[in-house]
PDB file of all heavy atoms in Angstrom:
ATOM      1  N   LEU A   1       0.840  -1.183  -0.009  1.00  0.00           N
ATOM      2  CA  LEU A   1      -0.009  -0.026   0.031  1.00  0.00           C
ATOM      3  C   LEU A   1       0.844   1.250  -0.009  1.00  0.00           C
ATOM      4  O   LEU A   1       0.294   2.392   0.015  1.00  0.00           O
ATOM      5  CB  LEU A   1      -0.906   0.014   1.223  1.00  0.00           C
ATOM      6  CG  LEU A   1      -2.048  -1.058   1.220  1.00  0.00           C
ATOM      7  CD1 LEU A   1      -2.778  -1.045   2.571  1.00  0.00           C
ATOM      8  CD2 LEU A   1      -3.050  -0.672   0.111  1.00  0.00           C
ATOM      9  N   GLY A   2       2.203   1.095  -0.020  1.00  0.00           N
ATOM     10  CA  GLY A   2       3.070   2.248   0.006  1.00  0.00           C
ATOM     11  C   GLY A   2       3.242   2.930   1.390  1.00  0.00           C
ATOM     12  O   GLY A   2       3.760   4.015   1.430  1.00  0.00           O
ATOM     13  N   ARG A   3       2.823   2.236   2.409  1.00  0.00           N
ATOM     14  CA  ARG A   3       2.892   2.816   3.781  1.00  0.00           C
ATOM     15  C   ARG A   3       4.182   2.200   4.390  1.00  0.00           C
ATOM     16  O   ARG A   3       4.131   1.392   5.303  1.00  0.00           O
ATOM     17  CB  ARG A   3       1.599   2.451   4.588  1.00  0.00           C
ATOM     18  CG  ARG A   3       0.383   3.023   3.949  1.00  0.00           C
ATOM     19  CD  ARG A   3      -0.931   2.499   4.482  1.00  0.00           C
ATOM     20  NE  ARG A   3      -1.109   2.942   5.886  1.00  0.00           N
ATOM     21  CZ  ARG A   3      -2.171   2.644   6.607  1.00  0.00           C
ATOM     22  NH1 ARG A   3      -3.120   1.891   6.096  1.00  0.00           N
ATOM     23  NH2 ARG A   3      -2.262   3.092   7.849  1.00  0.00           N
ATOM     24  N   ASP A   4       5.289   2.751   3.968  1.00  0.00           N
ATOM     25  CA  ASP A   4       6.593   2.144   4.265  1.00  0.00           C
ATOM     26  C   ASP A   4       6.979   2.216   5.737  1.00  0.00           C
ATOM     27  O   ASP A   4       7.548   1.310   6.209  1.00  0.00           O
ATOM     28  CB  ASP A   4       7.702   2.785   3.393  1.00  0.00           C
ATOM     29  CG  ASP A   4       7.592   2.382   1.947  1.00  0.00           C
ATOM     30  OD1 ASP A   4       6.707   1.599   1.608  1.00  0.00           O
ATOM     31  OD2 ASP A   4       8.418   2.909   1.153  1.00  0.00           O
ATOM     32  N   GLU A   5       6.617   3.294   6.393  1.00  0.00           N
ATOM     33  CA  GLU A   5       6.950   3.416   7.806  1.00  0.00           C
ATOM     34  C   GLU A   5       6.199   2.351   8.649  1.00  0.00           C
ATOM     35  O   GLU A   5       6.778   1.749   9.508  1.00  0.00           O
ATOM     36  CB  GLU A   5       6.578   4.841   8.394  1.00  0.00           C
ATOM     37  CG  GLU A   5       7.513   5.902   7.823  1.00  0.00           C
ATOM     38  CD  GLU A   5       7.281   7.254   8.522  1.00  0.00           C
ATOM     39  OE1 GLU A   5       6.551   7.242   9.510  1.00  0.00           O
ATOM     40  OE2 GLU A   5       7.835   8.276   8.070  1.00  0.00           O
ATOM     41  N   LYS A   6       4.904   2.180   8.392  1.00  0.00           N
ATOM     42  CA  LYS A   6       4.190   1.103   9.101  1.00  0.00           C
ATOM     43  C   LYS A   6       4.725  -0.266   8.706  1.00  0.00           C
ATOM     44  O   LYS A   6       4.839  -1.143   9.570  1.00  0.00           O
ATOM     45  CB  LYS A   6       2.672   1.211   8.760  1.00  0.00           C
ATOM     46  CG  LYS A   6       1.998   2.418   9.441  1.00  0.00           C
ATOM     47  CD  LYS A   6       0.482   2.394   9.277  1.00  0.00           C
ATOM     48  CE  LYS A   6      -0.094   1.286  10.140  1.00  0.00           C
ATOM     49  NZ  LYS A   6      -0.003   1.568  11.605  1.00  0.00           N
ATOM     50  N   ALA A   7       5.056  -0.460   7.478  1.00  0.00           N
ATOM     51  CA  ALA A   7       5.619  -1.730   7.056  1.00  0.00           C
ATOM     52  C   ALA A   7       6.889  -2.089   7.757  1.00  0.00           C
ATOM     53  O   ALA A   7       7.095  -3.141   8.306  1.00  0.00           O
ATOM     54  CB  ALA A   7       5.872  -1.745   5.519  1.00  0.00           C
ATOM     55  N   GLU A   8       7.819  -1.130   7.820  1.00  0.00           N
ATOM     56  CA  GLU A   8       9.113  -1.259   8.473  1.00  0.00           C
ATOM     57  C   GLU A   8       8.857  -1.623   9.995  1.00  0.00           C
ATOM     58  O   GLU A   8       9.508  -2.528  10.514  1.00  0.00           O
ATOM     59  CB  GLU A   8       9.927  -0.025   8.370  1.00  0.00           C
ATOM     60  CG  GLU A   8      11.298  -0.143   9.019  1.00  0.00           C
ATOM     61  CD  GLU A   8      12.131   1.135   8.821  1.00  0.00           C
ATOM     62  OE1 GLU A   8      11.652   2.074   8.270  1.00  0.00           O
ATOM     63  OE2 GLU A   8      13.328   1.057   9.189  1.00  0.00           O
ATOM     64  N   ALA A   9       7.884  -0.896  10.601  1.00  0.00           N
ATOM     65  CA  ALA A   9       7.602  -1.182  12.011  1.00  0.00           C
ATOM     66  C   ALA A   9       7.111  -2.584  12.229  1.00  0.00           C
ATOM     67  O   ALA A   9       7.488  -3.263  13.200  1.00  0.00           O
ATOM     68  CB  ALA A   9       6.625  -0.151  12.509  1.00  0.00           C
ATOM     69  N   GLU A  10       6.263  -3.054  11.317  1.00  0.00           N
ATOM     70  CA  GLU A  10       5.711  -4.395  11.517  1.00  0.00           C
ATOM     71  C   GLU A  10       6.810  -5.452  11.344  1.00  0.00           C
ATOM     72  O   GLU A  10       6.870  -6.459  12.042  1.00  0.00           O
ATOM     73  CB  GLU A  10       4.581  -4.584  10.527  1.00  0.00           C
ATOM     74  CG  GLU A  10       3.334  -3.788  10.739  1.00  0.00           C
ATOM     75  CD  GLU A  10       2.667  -4.107  12.098  1.00  0.00           C
ATOM     76  OE1 GLU A  10       2.855  -5.205  12.626  1.00  0.00           O
ATOM     77  OE2 GLU A  10       1.955  -3.197  12.571  1.00  0.00           O
ATOM     78  N   PHE A  11       7.715  -5.252  10.363  1.00  0.00           N
ATOM     79  CA  PHE A  11       8.768  -6.234  10.152  1.00  0.00           C
ATOM     80  C   PHE A  11       9.666  -6.235  11.407  1.00  0.00           C
ATOM     81  O   PHE A  11      10.120  -7.358  11.858  1.00  0.00           O
ATOM     82  CB  PHE A  11       9.596  -5.926   8.900  1.00  0.00           C
ATOM     83  CG  PHE A  11       8.892  -6.112   7.615  1.00  0.00           C
ATOM     84  CD1 PHE A  11       8.914  -5.116   6.657  1.00  0.00           C
ATOM     85  CD2 PHE A  11       8.157  -7.216   7.402  1.00  0.00           C
ATOM     86  CE1 PHE A  11       8.253  -5.313   5.428  1.00  0.00           C
ATOM     87  CE2 PHE A  11       7.482  -7.390   6.184  1.00  0.00           C
ATOM     88  CZ  PHE A  11       7.499  -6.441   5.213  1.00  0.00           C
ATOM     89  N   ARG A  12       9.922  -5.084  11.988  1.00  0.00           N
ATOM     90  CA  ARG A  12      10.723  -5.057  13.220  1.00  0.00           C
ATOM     91  C   ARG A  12      10.032  -5.793  14.356  1.00  0.00           C
ATOM     92  O   ARG A  12      10.752  -6.425  15.164  1.00  0.00           O
ATOM     93  CB  ARG A  12      11.018  -3.594  13.595  1.00  0.00           C
ATOM     94  CG  ARG A  12      11.915  -2.854  12.567  1.00  0.00           C
ATOM     95  CD  ARG A  12      13.330  -3.462  12.563  1.00  0.00           C
ATOM     96  NE  ARG A  12      14.151  -2.764  11.585  1.00  0.00           N
ATOM     97  CZ  ARG A  12      15.389  -3.181  11.228  1.00  0.00           C
ATOM     98  NH1 ARG A  12      15.884  -4.293  11.789  1.00  0.00           N
ATOM     99  NH2 ARG A  12      16.098  -2.590  10.350  1.00  0.00           N
ATOM    100  N   LYS A  13       8.719  -5.648  14.478  1.00  0.00           N
ATOM    101  CA  LYS A  13       8.024  -6.362  15.532  1.00  0.00           C
ATOM    102  C   LYS A  13       8.107  -7.854  15.334  1.00  0.00           C
ATOM    103  O   LYS A  13       8.183  -8.597  16.293  1.00  0.00           O
ATOM    104  CB  LYS A  13       6.545  -5.919  15.503  1.00  0.00           C
ATOM    105  CG  LYS A  13       6.280  -4.494  15.988  1.00  0.00           C
ATOM    106  CD  LYS A  13       4.799  -4.133  15.813  1.00  0.00           C
ATOM    107  CE  LYS A  13       4.565  -2.678  16.223  1.00  0.00           C
ATOM    108  NZ  LYS A  13       3.129  -2.283  16.044  1.00  0.00           N
ATOM    109  N   ASP A  14       8.010  -8.303  14.040  1.00  0.00           N
ATOM    110  CA  ASP A  14       8.136  -9.783  13.854  1.00  0.00           C
ATOM    111  C   ASP A  14       9.549 -10.264  14.075  1.00  0.00           C
ATOM    112  O   ASP A  14       9.712 -11.381  14.579  1.00  0.00           O
ATOM    113  CB  ASP A  14       7.701 -10.119  12.396  1.00  0.00           C
ATOM    114  CG  ASP A  14       7.280 -11.553  12.291  1.00  0.00           C
ATOM    115  OD1 ASP A  14       6.262 -11.884  12.919  1.00  0.00           O
ATOM    116  OD2 ASP A  14       7.971 -12.306  11.609  1.00  0.00           O
ATOM    117  N   ILE A  15      10.547  -9.437  13.851  1.00  0.00           N
ATOM    118  CA  ILE A  15      11.929  -9.800  14.174  1.00  0.00           C
ATOM    119  C   ILE A  15      12.081 -10.055  15.644  1.00  0.00           C
ATOM    120  O   ILE A  15      12.777 -10.993  16.129  1.00  0.00           O
ATOM    121  CB  ILE A  15      12.895  -8.732  13.640  1.00  0.00           C
ATOM    122  CG1 ILE A  15      13.056  -8.761  12.142  1.00  0.00           C
ATOM    123  CG2 ILE A  15      14.290  -8.929  14.382  1.00  0.00           C
ATOM    124  CD1 ILE A  15      13.857  -7.676  11.553  1.00  0.00           C
ATOM    125  N   ALA A  16      11.367  -9.207  16.459  1.00  0.00           N
ATOM    126  CA  ALA A  16      11.404  -9.409  17.906  1.00  0.00           C
ATOM    127  C   ALA A  16      10.796 -10.798  18.354  1.00  0.00           C
ATOM    128  O   ALA A  16      11.306 -11.413  19.299  1.00  0.00           O
ATOM    129  CB  ALA A  16      10.636  -8.256  18.593  1.00  0.00           C
ATOM    130  N   LEU A  17       9.844 -11.281  17.546  1.00  0.00           N
ATOM    131  CA  LEU A  17       9.239 -12.551  17.831  1.00  0.00           C
ATOM    132  C   LEU A  17       9.986 -13.714  17.188  1.00  0.00           C
ATOM    133  O   LEU A  17      10.059 -14.808  17.731  1.00  0.00           O
ATOM    134  CB  LEU A  17       7.781 -12.570  17.341  1.00  0.00           C
ATOM    135  CG  LEU A  17       6.763 -11.728  18.106  1.00  0.00           C
ATOM    136  CD1 LEU A  17       5.469 -11.685  17.363  1.00  0.00           C
ATOM    137  CD2 LEU A  17       6.601 -12.199  19.521  1.00  0.00           C
ATOM    138  N   GLU A  18      10.518 -13.481  16.005  1.00  0.00           N
ATOM    139  CA  GLU A  18      11.183 -14.490  15.249  1.00  0.00           C
ATOM    140  C   GLU A  18      12.547 -13.967  14.771  1.00  0.00           C
ATOM    141  O   GLU A  18      12.788 -13.620  13.572  1.00  0.00           O
ATOM    142  CB  GLU A  18      10.332 -14.889  14.015  1.00  0.00           C
ATOM    143  CG  GLU A  18       9.046 -15.590  14.352  1.00  0.00           C
ATOM    144  CD  GLU A  18       9.278 -16.974  14.846  1.00  0.00           C
ATOM    145  OE1 GLU A  18      10.226 -17.630  14.367  1.00  0.00           O
ATOM    146  OE2 GLU A  18       8.500 -17.380  15.704  1.00  0.00           O
ATOM    147  N   PRO A  19      13.543 -13.870  15.707  1.00  0.00           N
ATOM    148  CA  PRO A  19      14.834 -13.287  15.314  1.00  0.00           C
ATOM    149  C   PRO A  19      15.647 -14.054  14.257  1.00  0.00           C
ATOM    150  O   PRO A  19      16.544 -13.456  13.644  1.00  0.00           O
ATOM    151  CB  PRO A  19      15.596 -13.235  16.658  1.00  0.00           C
ATOM    152  CG  PRO A  19      14.944 -14.260  17.460  1.00  0.00           C
ATOM    153  CD  PRO A  19      13.481 -14.309  17.117  1.00  0.00           C
ATOM    154  N   ASP A  20      15.286 -15.359  14.064  1.00  0.00           N
ATOM    155  CA  ASP A  20      16.087 -16.133  13.099  1.00  0.00           C
ATOM    156  C   ASP A  20      15.378 -16.226  11.774  1.00  0.00           C
ATOM    157  O   ASP A  20      15.801 -17.099  10.955  1.00  0.00           O
ATOM    158  CB  ASP A  20      16.313 -17.525  13.666  1.00  0.00           C
ATOM    159  CG  ASP A  20      17.190 -17.540  14.905  1.00  0.00           C
ATOM    160  OD1 ASP A  20      18.048 -16.635  15.012  1.00  0.00           O
ATOM    161  OD2 ASP A  20      17.068 -18.374  15.772  1.00  0.00           O
ATOM    162  N   LEU A  21      14.401 -15.431  11.493  1.00  0.00           N
ATOM    163  CA  LEU A  21      13.655 -15.537  10.263  1.00  0.00           C
ATOM    164  C   LEU A  21      14.290 -14.589   9.223  1.00  0.00           C
ATOM    165  O   LEU A  21      14.165 -13.361   9.324  1.00  0.00           O
ATOM    166  CB  LEU A  21      12.179 -15.190  10.470  1.00  0.00           C
ATOM    167  CG  LEU A  21      11.297 -15.299   9.280  1.00  0.00           C
ATOM    168  CD1 LEU A  21      11.138 -16.795   8.841  1.00  0.00           C
ATOM    169  CD2 LEU A  21       9.895 -14.737   9.601  1.00  0.00           C
ATOM    170  N   ALA A  22      14.843 -15.178   8.173  1.00  0.00           N
ATOM    171  CA  ALA A  22      15.442 -14.387   7.106  1.00  0.00           C
ATOM    172  C   ALA A  22      14.441 -13.537   6.356  1.00  0.00           C
ATOM    173  O   ALA A  22      14.787 -12.435   5.859  1.00  0.00           O
ATOM    174  CB  ALA A  22      16.196 -15.283   6.156  1.00  0.00           C
ATOM    175  N   ASP A  23      13.175 -14.003   6.207  1.00  0.00           N
ATOM    176  CA  ASP A  23      12.205 -13.341   5.400  1.00  0.00           C
ATOM    177  C   ASP A  23      12.002 -11.877   5.822  1.00  0.00           C
ATOM    178  O   ASP A  23      11.733 -11.014   4.972  1.00  0.00           O
ATOM    179  CB  ASP A  23      10.893 -14.082   5.415  1.00  0.00           C
ATOM    180  CG  ASP A  23      11.030 -15.445   4.882  1.00  0.00           C
ATOM    181  OD1 ASP A  23      11.605 -16.275   5.578  1.00  0.00           O
ATOM    182  OD2 ASP A  23      10.562 -15.745   3.757  1.00  0.00           O
ATOM    183  N   ASN A  24      11.948 -11.581   7.147  1.00  0.00           N
ATOM    184  CA  ASN A  24      11.797 -10.234   7.620  1.00  0.00           C
ATOM    185  C   ASN A  24      12.911  -9.326   7.033  1.00  0.00           C
ATOM    186  O   ASN A  24      12.634  -8.222   6.600  1.00  0.00           O
ATOM    187  CB  ASN A  24      11.842 -10.191   9.112  1.00  0.00           C
ATOM    188  CG  ASN A  24      10.503 -10.595   9.721  1.00  0.00           C
ATOM    189  OD1 ASN A  24       9.437 -10.090   9.383  1.00  0.00           O
ATOM    190  ND2 ASN A  24      10.587 -11.621  10.591  1.00  0.00           N
ATOM    191  N   TYR A  25      14.132  -9.793   7.097  1.00  0.00           N
ATOM    192  CA  TYR A  25      15.264  -8.965   6.619  1.00  0.00           C
ATOM    193  C   TYR A  25      15.186  -8.831   5.077  1.00  0.00           C
ATOM    194  O   TYR A  25      15.531  -7.836   4.520  1.00  0.00           O
ATOM    195  CB  TYR A  25      16.591  -9.599   6.991  1.00  0.00           C
ATOM    196  CG  TYR A  25      16.814  -9.502   8.538  1.00  0.00           C
ATOM    197  CD1 TYR A  25      16.661 -10.620   9.326  1.00  0.00           C
ATOM    198  CD2 TYR A  25      17.128  -8.304   9.109  1.00  0.00           C
ATOM    199  CE1 TYR A  25      16.862 -10.525  10.678  1.00  0.00           C
ATOM    200  CE2 TYR A  25      17.284  -8.175  10.466  1.00  0.00           C
ATOM    201  CZ  TYR A  25      17.184  -9.346  11.300  1.00  0.00           C
ATOM    202  OH  TYR A  25      17.321  -9.267  12.658  1.00  0.00           O
ATOM    203  N   GLU A  26      14.726  -9.906   4.396  1.00  0.00           N
ATOM    204  CA  GLU A  26      14.602  -9.824   2.921  1.00  0.00           C
ATOM    205  C   GLU A  26      13.548  -8.728   2.582  1.00  0.00           C
ATOM    206  O   GLU A  26      13.813  -7.944   1.634  1.00  0.00           O
ATOM    207  CB  GLU A  26      14.054 -11.141   2.424  1.00  0.00           C
ATOM    208  CG  GLU A  26      15.017 -12.305   2.354  1.00  0.00           C
ATOM    209  CD  GLU A  26      14.451 -13.575   1.811  1.00  0.00           C
ATOM    210  OE1 GLU A  26      13.341 -13.507   1.272  1.00  0.00           O
ATOM    211  OE2 GLU A  26      15.044 -14.615   2.078  1.00  0.00           O
ATOM    212  N   GLN A  27      12.449  -8.688   3.247  1.00  0.00           N
ATOM    213  CA  GLN A  27      11.441  -7.661   3.030  1.00  0.00           C
ATOM    214  C   GLN A  27      11.951  -6.256   3.303  1.00  0.00           C
ATOM    215  O   GLN A  27      11.675  -5.315   2.561  1.00  0.00           O
ATOM    216  CB  GLN A  27      10.130  -7.968   3.760  1.00  0.00           C
ATOM    217  CG  GLN A  27       9.466  -9.267   3.252  1.00  0.00           C
ATOM    218  CD  GLN A  27       9.064  -9.176   1.782  1.00  0.00           C
ATOM    219  OE1 GLN A  27       8.480  -8.328   1.316  1.00  0.00           O
ATOM    220  NE2 GLN A  27       9.596 -10.247   1.047  1.00  0.00           N
ATOM    221  N   LEU A  28      12.661  -6.104   4.446  1.00  0.00           N
ATOM    222  CA  LEU A  28      13.275  -4.821   4.739  1.00  0.00           C
ATOM    223  C   LEU A  28      14.263  -4.422   3.631  1.00  0.00           C
ATOM    224  O   LEU A  28      14.251  -3.260   3.250  1.00  0.00           O
ATOM    225  CB  LEU A  28      13.989  -4.923   6.083  1.00  0.00           C
ATOM    226  CG  LEU A  28      13.126  -4.894   7.335  1.00  0.00           C
ATOM    227  CD1 LEU A  28      13.925  -5.151   8.567  1.00  0.00           C
ATOM    228  CD2 LEU A  28      12.365  -3.541   7.461  1.00  0.00           C
ATOM    229  N   ALA A  29      15.032  -5.376   3.142  1.00  0.00           N
ATOM    230  CA  ALA A  29      15.941  -5.062   2.026  1.00  0.00           C
ATOM    231  C   ALA A  29      15.162  -4.568   0.802  1.00  0.00           C
ATOM    232  O   ALA A  29      15.612  -3.617   0.181  1.00  0.00           O
ATOM    233  CB  ALA A  29      16.795  -6.326   1.697  1.00  0.00           C
ATOM    234  N   LEU A  30      14.091  -5.243   0.473  1.00  0.00           N
ATOM    235  CA  LEU A  30      13.264  -4.785  -0.665  1.00  0.00           C
ATOM    236  C   LEU A  30      12.730  -3.424  -0.470  1.00  0.00           C
ATOM    237  O   LEU A  30      12.672  -2.548  -1.361  1.00  0.00           O
ATOM    238  CB  LEU A  30      12.135  -5.820  -0.939  1.00  0.00           C
ATOM    239  CG  LEU A  30      12.547  -7.165  -1.416  1.00  0.00           C
ATOM    240  CD1 LEU A  30      11.380  -8.164  -1.338  1.00  0.00           C
ATOM    241  CD2 LEU A  30      13.092  -7.084  -2.859  1.00  0.00           C
ATOM    242  N   LEU A  31      12.246  -3.181   0.765  1.00  0.00           N
ATOM    243  CA  LEU A  31      11.663  -1.858   1.089  1.00  0.00           C
ATOM    244  C   LEU A  31      12.718  -0.781   1.043  1.00  0.00           C
ATOM    245  O   LEU A  31      12.488   0.297   0.391  1.00  0.00           O
ATOM    246  CB  LEU A  31      11.056  -1.955   2.497  1.00  0.00           C
ATOM    247  CG  LEU A  31      10.265  -0.727   2.979  1.00  0.00           C
ATOM    248  CD1 LEU A  31       9.236  -1.196   4.035  1.00  0.00           C
ATOM    249  CD2 LEU A  31      11.165   0.292   3.689  1.00  0.00           C
ATOM    250  N   TYR A  32      13.912  -0.996   1.628  1.00  0.00           N
ATOM    251  CA  TYR A  32      14.983  -0.019   1.588  1.00  0.00           C
ATOM    252  C   TYR A  32      15.473   0.168   0.134  1.00  0.00           C
ATOM    253  O   TYR A  32      15.829   1.309  -0.213  1.00  0.00           O
ATOM    254  CB  TYR A  32      16.157  -0.432   2.517  1.00  0.00           C
ATOM    255  CG  TYR A  32      15.748  -0.506   3.972  1.00  0.00           C
ATOM    256  CD1 TYR A  32      16.391  -1.503   4.748  1.00  0.00           C
ATOM    257  CD2 TYR A  32      14.889   0.398   4.547  1.00  0.00           C
ATOM    258  CE1 TYR A  32      16.048  -1.564   6.129  1.00  0.00           C
ATOM    259  CE2 TYR A  32      14.591   0.321   5.899  1.00  0.00           C
ATOM    260  CZ  TYR A  32      15.176  -0.653   6.675  1.00  0.00           C
ATOM    261  OH  TYR A  32      14.851  -0.719   8.029  1.00  0.00           O
ATOM    262  N   ASN A  33      15.546  -0.895  -0.585  1.00  0.00           N
ATOM    263  CA  ASN A  33      16.032  -0.785  -1.947  1.00  0.00           C
ATOM    264  C   ASN A  33      15.097   0.107  -2.776  1.00  0.00           C
ATOM    265  O   ASN A  33      15.542   0.984  -3.560  1.00  0.00           O
ATOM    266  CB  ASN A  33      16.079  -2.202  -2.643  1.00  0.00           C
ATOM    267  CG  ASN A  33      16.488  -2.146  -4.067  1.00  0.00           C
ATOM    268  OD1 ASN A  33      17.541  -1.719  -4.447  1.00  0.00           O
ATOM    269  ND2 ASN A  33      15.537  -2.586  -4.955  1.00  0.00           N
ATOM    270  N   ARG A  34      13.774  -0.047  -2.574  1.00  0.00           N
ATOM    271  CA  ARG A  34      12.785   0.718  -3.287  1.00  0.00           C
ATOM    272  C   ARG A  34      12.913   2.209  -2.960  1.00  0.00           C
ATOM    273  O   ARG A  34      12.722   3.075  -3.787  1.00  0.00           O
ATOM    274  CB  ARG A  34      11.354   0.224  -2.966  1.00  0.00           C
ATOM    275  CG  ARG A  34      10.280   0.906  -3.764  1.00  0.00           C
ATOM    276  CD  ARG A  34       8.982   0.186  -3.500  1.00  0.00           C
ATOM    277  NE  ARG A  34       8.462   0.340  -2.163  1.00  0.00           N
ATOM    278  CZ  ARG A  34       7.332  -0.159  -1.645  1.00  0.00           C
ATOM    279  NH1 ARG A  34       6.709  -1.095  -2.442  1.00  0.00           N
ATOM    280  NH2 ARG A  34       6.957   0.020  -0.423  1.00  0.00           N
ATOM    281  N   ALA A  35      13.328   2.476  -1.713  1.00  0.00           N
ATOM    282  CA  ALA A  35      13.460   3.875  -1.273  1.00  0.00           C
ATOM    283  C   ALA A  35      14.867   4.385  -1.483  1.00  0.00           C
ATOM    284  O   ALA A  35      15.177   5.560  -1.052  1.00  0.00           O
ATOM    285  CB  ALA A  35      13.128   3.978   0.256  1.00  0.00           C
ATOM    286  N   ARG A  36      15.725   3.565  -2.140  1.00  0.00           N
ATOM    287  CA  ARG A  36      17.148   3.929  -2.378  1.00  0.00           C
ATOM    288  C   ARG A  36      17.844   4.264  -1.092  1.00  0.00           C
ATOM    289  O   ARG A  36      18.792   5.088  -1.054  1.00  0.00           O
ATOM    290  CB  ARG A  36      17.243   5.142  -3.310  1.00  0.00           C
ATOM    291  CG  ARG A  36      16.594   4.883  -4.727  1.00  0.00           C
ATOM    292  CD  ARG A  36      17.298   3.749  -5.437  1.00  0.00           C
ATOM    293  NE  ARG A  36      16.690   3.444  -6.728  1.00  0.00           N
ATOM    294  CZ  ARG A  36      17.137   3.943  -7.872  1.00  0.00           C
ATOM    295  NH1 ARG A  36      18.092   4.807  -7.909  1.00  0.00           N
ATOM    296  NH2 ARG A  36      16.549   3.671  -9.027  1.00  0.00           N
TER     297      ARG A  36
END
């Protein structure tokens, strides 16, 4: 939906629950890449 700040916050919350999950970092990488 293009709501990047909320997206980033949600991925960080999931990292707190699942610190060994690569997918959260992958999505953050995609988000940061899109924003340069």
Side-chain angles (χ1 to χ4, degrees):
L1 289 172
R3 300 169 67 179
D4 289 358
E5 288 187 10
K6 287 187 72 68
E8 183 177 4
E10 293 297 336
F11 292 134
R12 293 294 178 188
K13 289 176 184 177
D14 202 64
I15 287 172
L17 292 172
E18 293 288 326
D20 294 332
L21 183 67
D23 299 73
N24 281 305
Y25 293 105
E26 289 179 12
Q27 293 304 304
L28 284 172
L30 292 167
L31 187 152
Y32 295 145
N33 177 64
R34 186 170 69 185
R36 300 297 178 95

